[in-house]
Amino acid sequence: MYLNPFYTPEVHGPYEMISIGRLELERGGVIEDCRLAVRTVGQLNEAKDNAILIPTWFTGTHQAWIDTYIGPEHALDPSRFFIVIVNQIGNGLSTSPHTTDDESIAMSRFPFVTIGDDVVAQEWLLREHFGITELFAVVGASMGAQQTYEWAVRFPDRVHRAAPIAGTAQNTPHDFLFTRVLLDAVTSDPGFNDGEYASNTDVVEGLGRHARVWGVMGLSTEWWKSGAWRALEFETPQQVVEGFLEPTFTALDPNSLVVMGRKWQHGDVALHTDGDLATALGRVTARVFVMPISEDMFFPVRDCATEADLIPGAELRVIDDVAGHFGLFGFVPEYMAQIDHHLGELFAV
Amino acid sequence: MYLNPFYTPEVHGPYEMISIGRLELERGGVIEDCRLAVRTVGQLNEAKDNAILIPTWFTGTHQAWIDTYIGPEHALDPSRFFIVIVNQIGNGLSTSPHTTDDESIAMSRFPFVTIGDDVVAQEWLLREHFGITELFAVVGASMGAQQTYEWAVRFPDRVHRAAPIAGTAQNTPHDFLFTRVLLDAVTSDPGFNDGEYASNTDVVEGLGRHARVWGVMGLSTEWWKSGAWRALEFETPQQVVEGFLEPTFTALDPNSLVVMGRKWQHGDVALHTDGDLATALGRVTARVFVMPISEDMFFPVRDCATEADLIPGAELRVIDDVAGHFGLFGFVPEYMAQIDHHLGELFAV
């Protein structure tokens, strides 16, 4: 354990730590006291039919959703919905390698967690803690989209709407390798010490390399070339690297990145159907808007369109954004208007 | 110095080492005895107007051109043309950090070499060694395309045709960062020892990481997803990584990668015109076919199209290839037919 100041309420605003008890993991191992960091916004109505679940993305926490996606001016309107944002296991806020007081799973001993494990934990949380058994919608981006698909396939009768944004139901070979490159950058730092470092600052070189890999894949060639980065109020691309990418990623916990990265690599709803993706996605009864980002370098539109074609009644709603995957941060002004438009239509049916 | 078996005639077939003497470098420093590894095919005619220059790409040598692009069945037909393939400075065959016997530039002391330095060296070689002052064509891919553009801008009256394949005249901010990520992977290996390793095998971990970065950017998401890699006779993506990417790149010399990577980063014909790319490309009088590869992840078609628009009379000829940048290796069967078609038309005018 060590104190990483990024993973605190000072940075993240209020959130609640809720124990779901013992969680047996799909790939073996157990988290004896699995605690989820949860932020809720809005009120659950009496019928308990206005709940929207939001799972988090790689490196992301609930705060990105609070800052950018949720508010009275957005489709994710707290006056209408009870919004439950659940931080994924291992993300640094929910039970994680660097914060757990269970020595058997601390640091390098943290077990392999899957997208399915997160969804099982979230289902327990919603049912037992909040009394919610059906979801008005699940909305998630990137690894959150993986969890969204997992919900729609695993609990088809309990998810009425689903909006997977910039992510896939079945991870691709390219993204498996990309994720390995991301983790390579971190774990190759001698300071990583096989996961037994004393602080993320011991791994700052590796985390910096990880940041720059994100610069190549998280932001599009056109975002860099067109000068769209000037909207972040930097004067050179090098300043974007040093002033945005490196500070953002070097603040994170290395083992958290490893836990999330491995989880991402193995995300696949076809694990429920002996590898048959069409059958898995054919199960979905939710109304689904598949929402890739036009310039995404590693969840390209066509990969998402292929999956949309396998989901009964799904619609492909492409978000036009020059930033690419990091469009998710919402720093291109036209981004949120599109998200709100599509989610608004999804929520209206 | 150390002996790296990759950079030998056993692997590369015959080539000649030709000294061009002292080369003063654009960014300072000097190579006292600059030697270029040159492979020629075909015969120079009496008029000396049938010479085609081919500069090499990052990690590439003349052998890739011999193996795939040149032959009686190709547009690059040795019965018609005198083809001069010049290995770029620092590529492991021409004067390079790990082979030079000039201690002042050995290993980590190798100076910063630019695309312009290579073109100056090639111009000397052609004129003084071969008696060639005008080129029927310059054909180059990737970093070879950078050199091709440099030729057409620097010596506009001496280049009659130019075919820059899968590369740009002015390096983009994205590719600057991508190149940094490639070099990060190598130089971060403790075995790299600031360039003073005893053998590339000391840096095998870093070179392996470098290989996997290439797997993410050199090959397209669709190549991986569609299973097009099966044409390489591997059964899983992991086998592609372990059986193709890692062996290919771990054989290379780390300092060579650094020298070439920095050169790539700073490639920019607008250095001749105070940063004005339109003016630089407006100088070109060669007939130019700009030939990006459809699925290239880091020299996207639109970046090349933008440059083509600035070159008087240039045509954009897109090569359709699912592999992306590594389509250059020619492992998709339809690739060479397209190259031959376009080069054939270029050579016919």
Side-chain angles (χ1 to χ4, degrees), chain B residues 184-266:
Chain B
D184 272 355
V186 175
T187 61
S188 63
D189 188 329
F192 181 70
N193 190 26
D194 293 327
E196 296 296 328
Y197 48 86
S199 158
N200 62 307
T201 57
D202 294 351
V203 195
V204 68
E205 294 296 325
L207 292 168
R209 293 195 291 273
H210 177 93
R212 294 189 291 274
V213 175
W214 274 117
V216 171
M217 292 298 289
L219 293 155
S220 79
T221 59
E222 189 65 9
W223 187 81
W224 288 105
K225 186 163 197 284
S226 67
W229 46 267
R230 291 183 197 278
L232 298 181
E233 300 188 1
F234 292 111
E235 290 176 14
T236 66
Q238 182 61 19
Q239 287 180 7
V240 177
V241 173
E242 293 176 3
F244 165 50
L245 293 170
E246 291 174 354
T248 298
F249 289 97
T250 56
L252 303 176
D253 176 63
N255 280 320
S256 276
L257 298 179
V258 172
V259 170
M260 289 187 283
R262 289 182 183 152
K263 190 193 294 183
W264 169 4
Q265 285 184 313
H266 294 84

Side-chain angles (χ1 to χ4, degrees), chain B residues 49 80-81 135-139 148 152 158-164 285-289 343 345-349:
Chain B
D49 64 2
R80 191 174 161 208
F81 299 113
L135 286 164
F136 182 86
V138 183
V139 178
T148 300
R158 294 162 66 179
V159 178
H160 297 296
R161 294 164 195 80
T285 61
R287 180 102 172 107
V288 180
F289 281 8
L343 290 184
E345 288 199 11
L346 181 65
F347 296 168
V349 295

Side-chain angles (χ1 to χ4, degrees), chain B residues 40-54 75-84 126 130-139 158 160-161 347:
Chain B
T40 65
V41 192
Q43 300 295 325
L44 186 62
N45 63 15
E46 280 195 34
K48 297 191 174 183
D49 64 2
N50 72 330
I52 295 177
L53 172 70
I54 300 178
L76 290 164
D77 178 356
S79 72
R80 191 174 161 208
F81 299 113
F82 179 56
I83 301 168
V84 183
L126 292 171
F130 292 109
I132 297 167
T133 52
E134 300 196 15
L135 286 164
F136 182 86
V138 183
V139 178
R158 294 162 66 179
H160 297 296
R161 294 164 195 80
F347 296 168

Side-chain angles (χ1 to χ4, degrees), chain A:
Chain A
M1 283 179 75
Y2 74 98
L3 178 67
N4 180 319
F6 178 72
Y7 302 101
T8 57
E10 285 69 36
V11 172
H12 281 95
Y15 57 90
E16 197 176 354
M17 294 298 294
I18 303 172
S19 175
I20 63 159
R22 176 183 168 91
L23 181 66
E24 295 193 9
L25 302 168
E26 288 186 336
R27 292 193 167 227
V30 62
I31 298 176
E32 291 293 347
D33 176 29
C34 183
R35 297 197 292 169
L36 299 177
V38 180
R39 172 70 186 268
T40 65
V41 192
Q43 301 294 327
L44 187 61
N45 63 15
E46 280 196 34
K48 297 192 173 181
D49 65 1
N50 71 332
I52 294 177
L53 171 70
I54 300 179
T56 60
W57 62 61
F58 183 81
T59 79
T61 69
H62 62 271
Q63 196 59 32
W65 289 88
I66 296 290
D67 288 345
T68 305
Y69 290 81
I70 296 172
E73 73 280 26
H74 293 300
L76 290 164
D77 178 356
S79 73
R80 191 175 161 207
F81 299 112
F82 179 56
I83 300 167
V84 184
I85 318 171
V86 184
N87 289 274
Q88 63 170 298
I89 297 166
N91 85 329
L93 291 177
S94 292
T95 295
S96 291
H98 86 281
T99 56
T100 181
D101 50 15
D102 177 351
E103 276 299 313
S104 73
I105 60 168
M107 300 299 278
S108 66
R109 294 178 293 289
F110 207 79
F112 193 110
V113 180
T114 65
I115 294 288
D117 292 326
D118 272 285
V119 168
V120 165
Q122 289 157 10
E123 193 277 337
W124 193 99
L125 172 87
L126 291 171
R127 179 167 37 84
E128 295 296 323
H129 185 83
F130 292 110
I132 296 167
T133 52
E134 301 197 14
L135 286 163
F136 182 86
V138 183
V139 177
S142 200
M143 284 189 71
Q146 290 183 304
Q147 294 166 75
T148 300
Y149 279 118
E150 181 75 17
W151 261 97
V153 170
R154 191 181 276 256
F155 304 114
D157 53 337
R158 294 161 66 177
V159 178
H160 297 295
R161 294 163 196 80
I165 303 168
T168 52
Q170 182 176 60
N171 200 38
T172 63
H174 179 271
D175 279 359
F176 188 96
L177 184 58
F178 168 46
T179 314
R180 177 158 180 205
V181 166
L182 283 169
L183 300 189
D184 271 356
V186 175
T187 61
S188 63
D189 188 329
F192 181 69
N193 190 26
D194 293 327
E196 294 297 327
Y197 48 86
S199 158
N200 63 306
T201 58
D202 295 350
V203 195
V204 68
E205 293 296 325
L207 291 168
R209 292 195 292 274
H210 177 94
R212 294 189 290 274
V213 175
W214 273 116
V216 171
M217 291 298 291
L219 293 155
S220 79
T221 59
E222 189 64 9
W223 187 81
W224 287 106
K225 187 162 196 282
S226 68
W229 46 267
R230 292 183 195 280
L232 298 182
E233 300 188 1
F234 292 110
E235 290 176 13
T236 65
Q238 182 61 20
Q239 287 181 8
V240 177
V241 173
E242 293 176 3
F244 166 50
L245 293 170
E246 290 174 355
T248 298
F249 289 97
T250 56
L252 303 175
D253 177 62
N255 281 321
S256 277
L257 298 180
V258 171
V259 170
M260 289 187 283
R262 289 182 184 154
K263 190 193 295 182
W264 170 2
Q265 285 184 311
H266 295 85
D268 183 2
V269 297
L271 292 170
H272 296 291
T273 50
D274 289 330
D276 183 337
L277 183 63
T279 301
L281 292 175
R283 282 188 187 177
V284 174
T285 59
R287 178 101 172 109
V288 181
F289 281 9
V290 173
M291 296 164 62
I293 296 175
S294 58
E295 293 282 348
D296 200 311
M297 301 273 289
F298 57 99
F299 292 119
V301 170
R302 66 182 157 202
D303 287 4
C304 300
T306 306
E307 294 185 340
D309 287 343
L310 299 175
I311 301 169
E315 288 185 39
L316 183 71
R317 299 287 186 112
V318 178
I319 308 296
D320 185 30
D321 197 318
V322 69
H325 196 71
F326 281 5
L328 294 176
F329 289 121
F331 45 60
V332 174
E334 296 76 15
Y335 174 78
M336 271 312 300
Q338 296 175 73
I339 293 288
D340 283 332
H341 170 75
H342 296 305
L343 289 185
E345 288 199 12
L346 180 65
F347 296 167
V349 293

